[in-house]
Amino acid sequence: MSGGADTTSSVTVIDHPLIEHKLTLLRMATTPTGEFRRLTREISLLMGYEVLRDLPLQPVDIQTPLEPMTARQVSGKKLCFISILRAGNGILDGMIDLVPSARIGHVGVYRDPASHLPIEYYFKVPDDVAERLTIVVDPMLATGHSAVAAITRLKRAGARGVKYVCLIAAPEGVAVLREAHPDVPIFTAAIDRALDENAYIRPGLGDAGDRLFGTK
Ligand code: URA
């Protein structure tokens, strides 16, 4: 794909220099919570530009200082962002900056510490999710189990046009998500080396939720 994105099948690594620079700062162990949050929001906003490239537009009659015209504007009503709790909320902030009128949903999935399998504890999405472009956000695509569980649940609720956005993906997570949901395009800012024995992405950035919310 032209315009700063390298596409392999349904996985797009959005490789803009500003995104890479900010991601480097995000990865640094010394980056404090406030800065981490701000960078996550900025990267998400920059990624959103690419992810939302095919956003539907609707005509609107407006008046310029010189004459009336029919222009086009984004229909926020046709879009919803779904945050996989809790770390997804960090990405949500940047996406909402781009499309303030978008509807928002939340899926709560935690990773069982022993099995690393996803357990759903919360699900609230717009009633008409079936009629919307649905953008699922979570900073780290690690094992892929949470992403698969969240998207499976969303599809059961009617979601059809689903995209998945993360900041860093592990090759293992990409494979799992593509296998389970080949129709879902994945957008990421980086694909890292591998998962470690604790299912952390290496080199990664540590625990995104803890770093976003300062809980460690
Ligand atoms: N979740 C995180 O926050 N970090 C990882 O490296 C993997 C999963």
Side-chain angles (χ1 to χ4, degrees), residues 54-94:
D54 55 359
L55 209 53
L57 294 166
Q58 64 184 17
V60 56
D61 293 328
I62 62 165
Q63 178 80 42
T64 79
L66 300 177
E67 63 178 56
M69 72 171 285
T70 303
R72 296 200 300 162
Q73 65 180 9
V74 165
S75 169
K77 294 196 186 76
K78 299 232 161 59
L79 180 67
C80 74
F81 296 119
I82 306 291
S83 166
I84 300 184
L85 297 172
R86 67 184 163 145
N89 283 3
I91 299 191
L92 207 49
D93 291 340

PDB file of all heavy atoms in Angstrom, residues 54-94:
ATOM      1  N   ASP A  54     -10.878   4.409   4.543  1.00  0.00           N
ATOM      2  CA  ASP A  54     -12.070   4.125   3.737  1.00  0.00           C
ATOM      3  C   ASP A  54     -13.375   4.451   4.472  1.00  0.00           C
ATOM      4  O   ASP A  54     -14.426   3.888   4.183  1.00  0.00           O
ATOM      5  CB  ASP A  54     -12.077   2.661   3.273  1.00  0.00           C
ATOM      6  CG  ASP A  54     -11.964   1.696   4.443  1.00  0.00           C
ATOM      7  OD1 ASP A  54     -11.865   2.171   5.607  1.00  0.00           O
ATOM      8  OD2 ASP A  54     -11.977   0.471   4.213  1.00  0.00           O
ATOM      9  N   LEU A  55     -13.270   5.355   5.414  1.00  0.00           N
ATOM     10  CA  LEU A  55     -14.455   5.767   6.179  1.00  0.00           C
ATOM     11  C   LEU A  55     -15.534   6.346   5.256  1.00  0.00           C
ATOM     12  O   LEU A  55     -15.228   7.154   4.382  1.00  0.00           O
ATOM     13  CB  LEU A  55     -14.011   6.859   7.157  1.00  0.00           C
ATOM     14  CG  LEU A  55     -14.743   7.037   8.473  1.00  0.00           C
ATOM     15  CD1 LEU A  55     -14.821   5.722   9.221  1.00  0.00           C
ATOM     16  CD2 LEU A  55     -14.024   8.079   9.311  1.00  0.00           C
ATOM     17  N   PRO A  56     -16.789   5.935   5.444  1.00  0.00           N
ATOM     18  CA  PRO A  56     -17.839   6.479   4.569  1.00  0.00           C
ATOM     19  C   PRO A  56     -18.079   7.969   4.822  1.00  0.00           C
ATOM     20  O   PRO A  56     -18.029   8.433   5.957  1.00  0.00           O
ATOM     21  CB  PRO A  56     -19.074   5.658   4.933  1.00  0.00           C
ATOM     22  CG  PRO A  56     -18.766   4.980   6.215  1.00  0.00           C
ATOM     23  CD  PRO A  56     -17.285   4.951   6.401  1.00  0.00           C
ATOM     24  N   LEU A  57     -18.343   8.673   3.739  1.00  0.00           N
ATOM     25  CA  LEU A  57     -18.659  10.102   3.834  1.00  0.00           C
ATOM     26  C   LEU A  57     -20.103  10.318   3.434  1.00  0.00           C
ATOM     27  O   LEU A  57     -20.661   9.535   2.657  1.00  0.00           O
ATOM     28  CB  LEU A  57     -17.747  10.900   2.892  1.00  0.00           C
ATOM     29  CG  LEU A  57     -16.261  10.901   3.255  1.00  0.00           C
ATOM     30  CD1 LEU A  57     -15.419  11.416   2.082  1.00  0.00           C
ATOM     31  CD2 LEU A  57     -16.011  11.772   4.475  1.00  0.00           C
ATOM     32  N   GLN A  58     -20.699  11.370   3.955  1.00  0.00           N
ATOM     33  CA  GLN A  58     -22.072  11.690   3.556  1.00  0.00           C
ATOM     34  C   GLN A  58     -22.130  13.161   3.133  1.00  0.00           C
ATOM     35  O   GLN A  58     -21.389  13.998   3.666  1.00  0.00           O
ATOM     36  CB  GLN A  58     -23.038  11.414   4.705  1.00  0.00           C
ATOM     37  CG  GLN A  58     -22.813  12.270   5.918  1.00  0.00           C
ATOM     38  CD  GLN A  58     -23.740  11.895   7.072  1.00  0.00           C
ATOM     39  OE1 GLN A  58     -24.331  10.824   7.106  1.00  0.00           O
ATOM     40  NE2 GLN A  58     -23.852  12.792   8.035  1.00  0.00           N
ATOM     41  N   PRO A  59     -23.010  13.460   2.175  1.00  0.00           N
ATOM     42  CA  PRO A  59     -23.092  14.849   1.711  1.00  0.00           C
ATOM     43  C   PRO A  59     -23.726  15.747   2.765  1.00  0.00           C
ATOM     44  O   PRO A  59     -24.588  15.300   3.529  1.00  0.00           O
ATOM     45  CB  PRO A  59     -23.980  14.750   0.466  1.00  0.00           C
ATOM     46  CG  PRO A  59     -24.672  13.445   0.553  1.00  0.00           C
ATOM     47  CD  PRO A  59     -23.925  12.561   1.487  1.00  0.00           C
ATOM     48  N   VAL A  60     -23.275  16.988   2.778  1.00  0.00           N
ATOM     49  CA  VAL A  60     -23.879  17.972   3.684  1.00  0.00           C
ATOM     50  C   VAL A  60     -23.903  19.318   2.962  1.00  0.00           C
ATOM     51  O   VAL A  60     -22.914  19.709   2.330  1.00  0.00           O
ATOM     52  CB  VAL A  60     -23.106  18.050   5.029  1.00  0.00           C
ATOM     53  CG1 VAL A  60     -21.630  18.355   4.819  1.00  0.00           C
ATOM     54  CG2 VAL A  60     -23.729  19.075   5.970  1.00  0.00           C
ATOM     55  N   ASP A  61     -25.058  19.975   3.031  1.00  0.00           N
ATOM     56  CA  ASP A  61     -25.175  21.306   2.407  1.00  0.00           C
ATOM     57  C   ASP A  61     -24.643  22.347   3.376  1.00  0.00           C
ATOM     58  O   ASP A  61     -25.108  22.435   4.516  1.00  0.00           O
ATOM     59  CB  ASP A  61     -26.640  21.602   2.070  1.00  0.00           C
ATOM     60  CG  ASP A  61     -27.145  20.669   0.975  1.00  0.00           C
ATOM     61  OD1 ASP A  61     -26.319  20.284   0.108  1.00  0.00           O
ATOM     62  OD2 ASP A  61     -28.331  20.305   1.011  1.00  0.00           O
ATOM     63  N   ILE A  62     -23.663  23.119   2.918  1.00  0.00           N
ATOM     64  CA  ILE A  62     -23.084  24.153   3.776  1.00  0.00           C
ATOM     65  C   ILE A  62     -23.029  25.477   3.023  1.00  0.00           C
ATOM     66  O   ILE A  62     -23.272  25.525   1.808  1.00  0.00           O
ATOM     67  CB  ILE A  62     -21.650  23.776   4.251  1.00  0.00           C
ATOM     68  CG1 ILE A  62     -20.698  23.640   3.047  1.00  0.00           C
ATOM     69  CG2 ILE A  62     -21.651  22.497   5.073  1.00  0.00           C
ATOM     70  CD1 ILE A  62     -19.245  23.620   3.412  1.00  0.00           C
ATOM     71  N   GLN A  63     -22.697  26.503   3.756  1.00  0.00           N
ATOM     72  CA  GLN A  63     -22.554  27.837   3.177  1.00  0.00           C
ATOM     73  C   GLN A  63     -21.119  28.291   3.456  1.00  0.00           C
ATOM     74  O   GLN A  63     -20.716  28.390   4.618  1.00  0.00           O
ATOM     75  CB  GLN A  63     -23.567  28.775   3.871  1.00  0.00           C
ATOM     76  CG  GLN A  63     -23.514  30.205   3.429  1.00  0.00           C
ATOM     77  CD  GLN A  63     -24.250  30.437   2.114  1.00  0.00           C
ATOM     78  OE1 GLN A  63     -25.335  29.914   1.896  1.00  0.00           O
ATOM     79  NE2 GLN A  63     -23.635  31.226   1.229  1.00  0.00           N
ATOM     80  N   THR A  64     -20.330  28.525   2.413  1.00  0.00           N
ATOM     81  CA  THR A  64     -19.007  29.130   2.634  1.00  0.00           C
ATOM     82  C   THR A  64     -19.225  30.649   2.736  1.00  0.00           C
ATOM     83  O   THR A  64     -20.335  31.128   2.484  1.00  0.00           O
ATOM     84  CB  THR A  64     -18.035  28.825   1.471  1.00  0.00           C
ATOM     85  OG1 THR A  64     -18.329  29.681   0.382  1.00  0.00           O
ATOM     86  CG2 THR A  64     -18.112  27.363   1.052  1.00  0.00           C
ATOM     87  N   PRO A  65     -18.199  31.415   3.064  1.00  0.00           N
ATOM     88  CA  PRO A  65     -18.403  32.877   3.076  1.00  0.00           C
ATOM     89  C   PRO A  65     -18.810  33.424   1.708  1.00  0.00           C
ATOM     90  O   PRO A  65     -19.354  34.507   1.605  1.00  0.00           O
ATOM     91  CB  PRO A  65     -17.028  33.416   3.497  1.00  0.00           C
ATOM     92  CG  PRO A  65     -16.401  32.305   4.263  1.00  0.00           C
ATOM     93  CD  PRO A  65     -16.875  31.040   3.620  1.00  0.00           C
ATOM     94  N   LEU A  66     -18.594  32.618   0.631  1.00  0.00           N
ATOM     95  CA  LEU A  66     -18.853  33.125  -0.724  1.00  0.00           C
ATOM     96  C   LEU A  66     -20.092  32.552  -1.379  1.00  0.00           C
ATOM     97  O   LEU A  66     -20.746  33.211  -2.177  1.00  0.00           O
ATOM     98  CB  LEU A  66     -17.636  32.843  -1.622  1.00  0.00           C
ATOM     99  CG  LEU A  66     -16.338  33.495  -1.131  1.00  0.00           C
ATOM    100  CD1 LEU A  66     -15.175  33.113  -2.035  1.00  0.00           C
ATOM    101  CD2 LEU A  66     -16.493  35.013  -1.092  1.00  0.00           C
ATOM    102  N   GLU A  67     -20.432  31.258  -1.068  1.00  0.00           N
ATOM    103  CA  GLU A  67     -21.593  30.659  -1.730  1.00  0.00           C
ATOM    104  C   GLU A  67     -21.974  29.345  -1.065  1.00  0.00           C
ATOM    105  O   GLU A  67     -21.162  28.760  -0.322  1.00  0.00           O
ATOM    106  CB  GLU A  67     -21.306  30.412  -3.220  1.00  0.00           C
ATOM    107  CG  GLU A  67     -20.167  29.412  -3.463  1.00  0.00           C
ATOM    108  CD  GLU A  67     -19.950  29.175  -4.946  1.00  0.00           C
ATOM    109  OE1 GLU A  67     -19.729  30.138  -5.678  1.00  0.00           O
ATOM    110  OE2 GLU A  67     -20.015  27.991  -5.351  1.00  0.00           O
ATOM    111  N   PRO A  68     -23.173  28.857  -1.347  1.00  0.00           N
ATOM    112  CA  PRO A  68     -23.549  27.538  -0.819  1.00  0.00           C
ATOM    113  C   PRO A  68     -22.851  26.432  -1.601  1.00  0.00           C
ATOM    114  O   PRO A  68     -22.495  26.629  -2.771  1.00  0.00           O
ATOM    115  CB  PRO A  68     -25.064  27.480  -1.037  1.00  0.00           C
ATOM    116  CG  PRO A  68     -25.376  28.511  -2.051  1.00  0.00           C
ATOM    117  CD  PRO A  68     -24.256  29.494  -2.102  1.00  0.00           C
ATOM    118  N   MET A  69     -22.638  25.308  -0.951  1.00  0.00           N
ATOM    119  CA  MET A  69     -22.079  24.147  -1.678  1.00  0.00           C
ATOM    120  C   MET A  69     -22.507  22.872  -0.958  1.00  0.00           C
ATOM    121  O   MET A  69     -22.882  22.899   0.210  1.00  0.00           O
ATOM    122  CB  MET A  69     -20.553  24.203  -1.761  1.00  0.00           C
ATOM    123  CG  MET A  69     -19.842  23.924  -0.454  1.00  0.00           C
ATOM    124  SD  MET A  69     -18.041  23.741  -0.619  1.00  0.00           S
ATOM    125  CE  MET A  69     -17.893  22.108  -1.343  1.00  0.00           C
ATOM    126  N   THR A  70     -22.443  21.777  -1.700  1.00  0.00           N
ATOM    127  CA  THR A  70     -22.624  20.471  -1.076  1.00  0.00           C
ATOM    128  C   THR A  70     -21.238  19.888  -0.848  1.00  0.00           C
ATOM    129  O   THR A  70     -20.524  19.587  -1.798  1.00  0.00           O
ATOM    130  CB  THR A  70     -23.476  19.545  -1.959  1.00  0.00           C
ATOM    131  OG1 THR A  70     -24.731  20.182  -2.201  1.00  0.00           O
ATOM    132  CG2 THR A  70     -23.713  18.207  -1.272  1.00  0.00           C
ATOM    133  N   ALA A  71     -20.858  19.770   0.420  1.00  0.00           N
ATOM    134  CA  ALA A  71     -19.561  19.190   0.771  1.00  0.00           C
ATOM    135  C   ALA A  71     -19.804  17.783   1.330  1.00  0.00           C
ATOM    136  O   ALA A  71     -20.937  17.301   1.330  1.00  0.00           O
ATOM    137  CB  ALA A  71     -18.864  20.077   1.795  1.00  0.00           C
ATOM    138  N   ARG A  72     -18.746  17.140   1.795  1.00  0.00           N
ATOM    139  CA  ARG A  72     -18.928  15.800   2.376  1.00  0.00           C
ATOM    140  C   ARG A  72     -18.331  15.767   3.770  1.00  0.00           C
ATOM    141  O   ARG A  72     -17.332  16.422   4.050  1.00  0.00           O
ATOM    142  CB  ARG A  72     -18.266  14.741   1.501  1.00  0.00           C
ATOM    143  CG  ARG A  72     -18.918  14.652   0.125  1.00  0.00           C
ATOM    144  CD  ARG A  72     -18.625  13.340  -0.565  1.00  0.00           C
ATOM    145  NE  ARG A  72     -17.211  13.117  -0.774  1.00  0.00           N
ATOM    146  CZ  ARG A  72     -16.683  11.920  -1.035  1.00  0.00           C
ATOM    147  NH1 ARG A  72     -17.458  10.851  -1.100  1.00  0.00           N
ATOM    148  NH2 ARG A  72     -15.392  11.785  -1.248  1.00  0.00           N
ATOM    149  N   GLN A  73     -18.962  15.009   4.635  1.00  0.00           N
ATOM    150  CA  GLN A  73     -18.421  14.880   5.981  1.00  0.00           C
ATOM    151  C   GLN A  73     -18.535  13.428   6.448  1.00  0.00           C
ATOM    152  O   GLN A  73     -19.353  12.657   5.940  1.00  0.00           O
ATOM    153  CB  GLN A  73     -19.148  15.814   6.962  1.00  0.00           C
ATOM    154  CG  GLN A  73     -20.605  15.481   7.179  1.00  0.00           C
ATOM    155  CD  GLN A  73     -21.290  16.422   8.162  1.00  0.00           C
ATOM    156  OE1 GLN A  73     -20.723  17.432   8.555  1.00  0.00           O
ATOM    157  NE2 GLN A  73     -22.500  16.090   8.557  1.00  0.00           N
ATOM    158  N   VAL A  74     -17.689  13.102   7.407  1.00  0.00           N
ATOM    159  CA  VAL A  74     -17.692  11.754   7.980  1.00  0.00           C
ATOM    160  C   VAL A  74     -18.960  11.561   8.788  1.00  0.00           C
ATOM    161  O   VAL A  74     -19.392  12.457   9.502  1.00  0.00           O
ATOM    162  CB  VAL A  74     -16.455  11.576   8.897  1.00  0.00           C
ATOM    163  CG1 VAL A  74     -16.612  10.362   9.791  1.00  0.00           C
ATOM    164  CG2 VAL A  74     -15.194  11.477   8.056  1.00  0.00           C
ATOM    165  N   SER A  75     -19.543  10.388   8.632  1.00  0.00           N
ATOM    166  CA  SER A  75     -20.708  10.066   9.446  1.00  0.00           C
ATOM    167  C   SER A  75     -20.255   9.253  10.649  1.00  0.00           C
ATOM    168  O   SER A  75     -20.004   8.054  10.533  1.00  0.00           O
ATOM    169  CB  SER A  75     -21.719   9.272   8.621  1.00  0.00           C
ATOM    170  OG  SER A  75     -22.700   8.755   9.477  1.00  0.00           O
ATOM    171  N   GLY A  76     -20.115   9.904  11.780  1.00  0.00           N
ATOM    172  CA  GLY A  76     -19.688   9.212  13.005  1.00  0.00           C
ATOM    173  C   GLY A  76     -20.681   8.135  13.401  1.00  0.00           C
ATOM    174  O   GLY A  76     -20.334   7.167  14.076  1.00  0.00           O
ATOM    175  N   LYS A  77     -21.933   8.282  12.938  1.00  0.00           N
ATOM    176  CA  LYS A  77     -22.976   7.308  13.295  1.00  0.00           C
ATOM    177  C   LYS A  77     -22.718   5.959  12.655  1.00  0.00           C
ATOM    178  O   LYS A  77     -23.295   4.957  13.025  1.00  0.00           O
ATOM    179  CB  LYS A  77     -24.344   7.827  12.854  1.00  0.00           C
ATOM    180  CG  LYS A  77     -24.816   9.051  13.583  1.00  0.00           C
ATOM    181  CD  LYS A  77     -26.319   9.242  13.367  1.00  0.00           C
ATOM    182  CE  LYS A  77     -26.802  10.555  13.970  1.00  0.00           C
ATOM    183  NZ  LYS A  77     -26.438  11.715  13.150  1.00  0.00           N
ATOM    184  N   LYS A  78     -21.850   5.921  11.642  1.00  0.00           N
ATOM    185  CA  LYS A  78     -21.607   4.657  10.940  1.00  0.00           C
ATOM    186  C   LYS A  78     -20.399   3.904  11.495  1.00  0.00           C
ATOM    187  O   LYS A  78     -19.974   2.919  10.938  1.00  0.00           O
ATOM    188  CB  LYS A  78     -21.376   4.951   9.455  1.00  0.00           C
ATOM    189  CG  LYS A  78     -22.561   5.613   8.786  1.00  0.00           C
ATOM    190  CD  LYS A  78     -22.964   4.870   7.538  1.00  0.00           C
ATOM    191  CE  LYS A  78     -24.374   5.195   7.111  1.00  0.00           C
ATOM    192  NZ  LYS A  78     -24.585   6.609   6.846  1.00  0.00           N
ATOM    193  N   LEU A  79     -19.858   4.415  12.583  1.00  0.00           N
ATOM    194  CA  LEU A  79     -18.581   3.906  13.076  1.00  0.00           C
ATOM    195  C   LEU A  79     -18.700   3.585  14.556  1.00  0.00           C
ATOM    196  O   LEU A  79     -19.401   4.274  15.287  1.00  0.00           O
ATOM    197  CB  LEU A  79     -17.543   5.016  12.877  1.00  0.00           C
ATOM    198  CG  LEU A  79     -16.112   4.766  13.309  1.00  0.00           C
ATOM    199  CD1 LEU A  79     -15.483   3.690  12.433  1.00  0.00           C
ATOM    200  CD2 LEU A  79     -15.310   6.061  13.188  1.00  0.00           C
ATOM    201  N   CYS A  80     -18.062   2.526  14.991  1.00  0.00           N
ATOM    202  CA  CYS A  80     -17.909   2.388  16.441  1.00  0.00           C
ATOM    203  C   CYS A  80     -16.526   1.839  16.771  1.00  0.00           C
ATOM    204  O   CYS A  80     -15.957   1.051  16.015  1.00  0.00           O
ATOM    205  CB  CYS A  80     -19.037   1.600  17.086  1.00  0.00           C
ATOM    206  SG  CYS A  80     -19.001  -0.141  16.812  1.00  0.00           S
ATOM    207  N   PHE A  81     -16.004   2.332  17.879  1.00  0.00           N
ATOM    208  CA  PHE A  81     -14.734   1.854  18.401  1.00  0.00           C
ATOM    209  C   PHE A  81     -15.034   0.933  19.568  1.00  0.00           C
ATOM    210  O   PHE A  81     -15.869   1.251  20.421  1.00  0.00           O
ATOM    211  CB  PHE A  81     -13.871   3.018  18.885  1.00  0.00           C
ATOM    212  CG  PHE A  81     -13.460   3.963  17.805  1.00  0.00           C
ATOM    213  CD1 PHE A  81     -13.845   5.298  17.846  1.00  0.00           C
ATOM    214  CD2 PHE A  81     -12.685   3.534  16.735  1.00  0.00           C
ATOM    215  CE1 PHE A  81     -13.474   6.180  16.846  1.00  0.00           C
ATOM    216  CE2 PHE A  81     -12.305   4.403  15.727  1.00  0.00           C
ATOM    217  CZ  PHE A  81     -12.701   5.730  15.781  1.00  0.00           C
ATOM    218  N   ILE A  82     -14.357  -0.196  19.589  1.00  0.00           N
ATOM    219  CA  ILE A  82     -14.543  -1.150  20.680  1.00  0.00           C
ATOM    220  C   ILE A  82     -13.211  -1.311  21.394  1.00  0.00           C
ATOM    221  O   ILE A  82     -12.220  -1.752  20.806  1.00  0.00           O
ATOM    222  CB  ILE A  82     -14.992  -2.532  20.155  1.00  0.00           C
ATOM    223  CG1 ILE A  82     -16.246  -2.425  19.267  1.00  0.00           C
ATOM    224  CG2 ILE A  82     -15.195  -3.487  21.321  1.00  0.00           C
ATOM    225  CD1 ILE A  82     -17.513  -2.053  19.975  1.00  0.00           C
ATOM    226  N   SER A  83     -13.206  -0.949  22.654  1.00  0.00           N
ATOM    227  CA  SER A  83     -11.983  -1.073  23.444  1.00  0.00           C
ATOM    228  C   SER A  83     -11.982  -2.414  24.173  1.00  0.00           C
ATOM    229  O   SER A  83     -12.956  -2.766  24.833  1.00  0.00           O
ATOM    230  CB  SER A  83     -11.934   0.064  24.471  1.00  0.00           C
ATOM    231  OG  SER A  83     -10.952  -0.194  25.443  1.00  0.00           O
ATOM    232  N   ILE A  84     -10.884  -3.146  24.017  1.00  0.00           N
ATOM    233  CA  ILE A  84     -10.704  -4.337  24.852  1.00  0.00           C
ATOM    234  C   ILE A  84     -10.090  -3.843  26.153  1.00  0.00           C
ATOM    235  O   ILE A  84      -8.963  -3.308  26.169  1.00  0.00           O
ATOM    236  CB  ILE A  84      -9.814  -5.393  24.164  1.00  0.00           C
ATOM    237  CG1 ILE A  84     -10.445  -5.832  22.830  1.00  0.00           C
ATOM    238  CG2 ILE A  84      -9.623  -6.593  25.094  1.00  0.00           C
ATOM    239  CD1 ILE A  84      -9.709  -6.953  22.102  1.00  0.00           C
ATOM    240  N   LEU A  85     -10.861  -3.950  27.226  1.00  0.00           N
ATOM    241  CA  LEU A  85     -10.431  -3.402  28.527  1.00  0.00           C
ATOM    242  C   LEU A  85      -9.244  -4.182  29.059  1.00  0.00           C
ATOM    243  O   LEU A  85      -9.136  -5.372  28.826  1.00  0.00           O
ATOM    244  CB  LEU A  85     -11.600  -3.472  29.521  1.00  0.00           C
ATOM    245  CG  LEU A  85     -12.825  -2.630  29.131  1.00  0.00           C
ATOM    246  CD1 LEU A  85     -13.977  -2.930  30.081  1.00  0.00           C
ATOM    247  CD2 LEU A  85     -12.491  -1.159  29.139  1.00  0.00           C
ATOM    248  N   ARG A  86      -8.390  -3.456  29.799  1.00  0.00           N
ATOM    249  CA  ARG A  86      -8.506  -2.042  30.020  1.00  0.00           C
ATOM    250  C   ARG A  86      -7.577  -1.229  29.149  1.00  0.00           C
ATOM    251  O   ARG A  86      -7.779  -0.041  28.934  1.00  0.00           O
ATOM    252  CB  ARG A  86      -8.233  -1.746  31.499  1.00  0.00           C
ATOM    253  CG  ARG A  86      -6.785  -2.044  31.868  1.00  0.00           C
ATOM    254  CD  ARG A  86      -6.515  -1.853  33.347  1.00  0.00           C
ATOM    255  NE  ARG A  86      -5.281  -2.554  33.597  1.00  0.00           N
ATOM    256  CZ  ARG A  86      -4.347  -2.178  34.447  1.00  0.00           C
ATOM    257  NH1 ARG A  86      -4.519  -1.122  35.186  1.00  0.00           N
ATOM    258  NH2 ARG A  86      -3.248  -2.877  34.597  1.00  0.00           N
ATOM    259  N   ALA A  87      -6.515  -1.885  28.650  1.00  0.00           N
ATOM    260  CA  ALA A  87      -5.484  -1.132  27.943  1.00  0.00           C
ATOM    261  C   ALA A  87      -6.001  -0.519  26.639  1.00  0.00           C
ATOM    262  O   ALA A  87      -5.468   0.490  26.169  1.00  0.00           O
ATOM    263  CB  ALA A  87      -4.274  -2.019  27.669  1.00  0.00           C
ATOM    264  N   GLY A  88      -7.073  -1.097  26.078  1.00  0.00           N
ATOM    265  CA  GLY A  88      -7.633  -0.548  24.842  1.00  0.00           C
ATOM    266  C   GLY A  88      -8.067   0.899  25.001  1.00  0.00           C
ATOM    267  O   GLY A  88      -8.088   1.659  24.025  1.00  0.00           O
ATOM    268  N   ASN A  89      -8.400   1.277  26.252  1.00  0.00           N
ATOM    269  CA  ASN A  89      -8.857   2.658  26.465  1.00  0.00           C
ATOM    270  C   ASN A  89      -7.789   3.693  26.109  1.00  0.00           C
ATOM    271  O   ASN A  89      -8.112   4.826  25.760  1.00  0.00           O
ATOM    272  CB  ASN A  89      -9.301   2.848  27.922  1.00  0.00           C
ATOM    273  CG  ASN A  89     -10.666   2.236  28.167  1.00  0.00           C
ATOM    274  OD1 ASN A  89     -11.251   1.633  27.271  1.00  0.00           O
ATOM    275  ND2 ASN A  89     -11.170   2.359  29.376  1.00  0.00           N
ATOM    276  N   GLY A  90      -6.527   3.301  26.200  1.00  0.00           N
ATOM    277  CA  GLY A  90      -5.453   4.221  25.825  1.00  0.00           C
ATOM    278  C   GLY A  90      -5.521   4.568  24.346  1.00  0.00           C
ATOM    279  O   GLY A  90      -5.310   5.716  23.951  1.00  0.00           O
ATOM    280  N   ILE A  91      -5.824   3.579  23.521  1.00  0.00           N
ATOM    281  CA  ILE A  91      -5.935   3.811  22.068  1.00  0.00           C
ATOM    282  C   ILE A  91      -7.230   4.551  21.741  1.00  0.00           C
ATOM    283  O   ILE A  91      -7.281   5.400  20.861  1.00  0.00           O
ATOM    284  CB  ILE A  91      -5.871   2.485  21.299  1.00  0.00           C
ATOM    285  CG1 ILE A  91      -4.524   1.806  21.556  1.00  0.00           C
ATOM    286  CG2 ILE A  91      -6.092   2.694  19.812  1.00  0.00           C
ATOM    287  CD1 ILE A  91      -4.244   0.636  20.659  1.00  0.00           C
ATOM    288  N   LEU A  92      -8.262   4.204  22.496  1.00  0.00           N
ATOM    289  CA  LEU A  92      -9.572   4.827  22.289  1.00  0.00           C
ATOM    290  C   LEU A  92      -9.456   6.352  22.298  1.00  0.00           C
ATOM    291  O   LEU A  92     -10.062   7.039  21.473  1.00  0.00           O
ATOM    292  CB  LEU A  92     -10.477   4.368  23.435  1.00  0.00           C
ATOM    293  CG  LEU A  92     -11.972   4.304  23.240  1.00  0.00           C
ATOM    294  CD1 LEU A  92     -12.316   3.565  21.970  1.00  0.00           C
ATOM    295  CD2 LEU A  92     -12.607   3.623  24.453  1.00  0.00           C
ATOM    296  N   ASP A  93      -8.673   6.877  23.229  1.00  0.00           N
ATOM    297  CA  ASP A  93      -8.568   8.334  23.366  1.00  0.00           C
ATOM    298  C   ASP A  93      -8.128   8.994  22.052  1.00  0.00           C
ATOM    299  O   ASP A  93      -8.698  10.001  21.634  1.00  0.00           O
ATOM    300  CB  ASP A  93      -7.573   8.697  24.474  1.00  0.00           C
ATOM    301  CG  ASP A  93      -8.094   8.326  25.856  1.00  0.00           C
ATOM    302  OD1 ASP A  93      -9.330   8.158  25.992  1.00  0.00           O
ATOM    303  OD2 ASP A  93      -7.279   8.209  26.786  1.00  0.00           O
ATOM    304  N   GLY A  94      -7.121   8.414  21.404  1.00  0.00           N
ATOM    305  CA  GLY A  94      -6.640   8.989  20.147  1.00  0.00           C
ATOM    306  C   GLY A  94      -7.671   8.857  19.040  1.00  0.00           C
ATOM    307  O   GLY A  94      -7.845   9.759  18.215  1.00  0.00           O
TER     308      GLY A  94
END
